[in-house]
Each structure stands twice: as C-alpha cells, then as structure tokens.
Amino acid sequence: GNIAKASEIFERCIQYNPSSHQILNYLAYMWAENGLHLNQALQYVNRALTEDPQSPSYLDTRGWIHFKLGQYRAALEDIVQANSLEPGDAVIADHLGDIWSALGNRDRALEHWTLSYRADADNPAVVEKLQANGVSLEKLPAEVAAP
C-alpha cells in the first residue's frame, strides 16, 4: 500500500540489476495503476520488452500506460496482442473493456468486461462496470454454461 516506499525499493533493485525485466515491468505496472511517472513507466516497460518481447504481461503493461496517457489506439494495439498471447486472462480482458469504452464502443466494452467477469467473478471493479451498464450478473453464469 505504500507506493512511494515500494517505488524506492524497486528503483534500487533496478540500479543493481538494470536488465531485470520482471522488476522493470512490475514497477511500470504499479505506476500505471496509480497514474504515476507514466513516461518513466513507459521507458521501463519498453526495456522489459526488449528482454522478453512476447510477454503478454509486459504488452498489457505498455498498453495500460498508453491508456493512462490517453493514447487509446496504441493501448488497443498492445493489449489486443497481449490477449492473443494469453486469451482468457481476466486483467487483459478488463483492460480491453476499458479501452473500448474510452473509444466509445459500449458493445465491445461489455463483451470484454463479461469475459473478464467470467474469468474472475470476484473483481469488484468489473462487477461495478457491468452493473453500471445494466448487465444482470445472475444471467452470466448460465451463459457461460450454454453450448
């Protein structure tokens, strides 16, 4: 919960191990989630992607940073690629829903938030987004089980 302290620790880790793509991505994502240091976060995740260019997590992080910067088309490109590498991931599907919503495509947003909910029904943010858009959560489990 202490973002400043965690950032300080991760920055020190990066000083000692500048090519640790896991640390670079983790700090970049933490900052993106909190809307902090987005340009530096973008630099860090790009470094992580040089080490592991096909990581769906790293692509999702970069896409999420683009989203936070208001660069929705770039965000969509990265997160669609992440989704193709790791289909069914609840976080990636949620991010796709948010991007489609920002782009004004409510149907696509609902489609992805529903996929996210099906993968992780315990995410209160996704539940709130679906309910705010009039989706009946009671009907979703039956839809999942349908052939």
Side-chain angles (χ1 to χ4, degrees):
N2 188 336
I3 304 300
K5 184 67 174 173
S7 295
E8 179 185 316
I9 291 167
F10 281 117
E11 291 269 36
R12 257 188 286 157
C13 290
I14 291 169
Q15 286 176 350
Y16 291 112
N17 193 353
S19 63
S20 174
H21 50 97
Q22 298 94 339
I23 295 170
L24 290 163
N25 180 69
Y26 194 92
L27 181 55
Y29 189 77
M30 183 180 73
W31 282 346
E33 278 291 286
N34 291 283
L36 302 169
H37 316 294
L38 296 176
N39 290 320
Q40 183 66 46
L42 190 56
Q43 290 176 17
Y44 281 175
V45 76
N46 281 334
R47 283 173 47 194
L49 280 160
T50 15
E51 297 295 322
D52 189 355
Q54 293 300 307
S55 168
S57 296
Y58 300 174
L59 289 164
D60 177 68
T61 296
R62 186 170 68 186
W64 200 233
I65 294 166
H66 284 302
F67 176 83
K68 294 287 187 154
L69 288 167
Q71 302 165 348
Y72 302 131
R73 289 291 171 189
L76 185 63
E77 184 178 317
D78 279 335
I79 297 182
V80 162
Q81 185 178 357
N83 189 57
S84 72
L85 294 167
E86 194 163 329
D89 181 87
V91 172
I92 293 171
D94 179 28
H95 288 168
L96 278 170
D98 289 355
I99 294 166
W100 282 116
S101 179
L103 289 169
N105 191 327
R106 181 179 178 270
D107 291 340
R108 294 295 299 269
L110 287 172
E111 172 189 338
H112 289 286
W113 288 329
T114 299
L115 291 171
S116 179
Y117 176 79
R118 288 176 177 166
D120 178 11
D122 295 325
N123 184 332
V126 172
V127 168
E128 183 179 321
K129 292 169 197 174
L130 289 169
Q131 289 176 330
N133 282 280
V135 174
S136 172
L137 300 179
E138 293 77 35
K139 292 183 180 180
L140 289 180
E143 292 172 15
V144 173

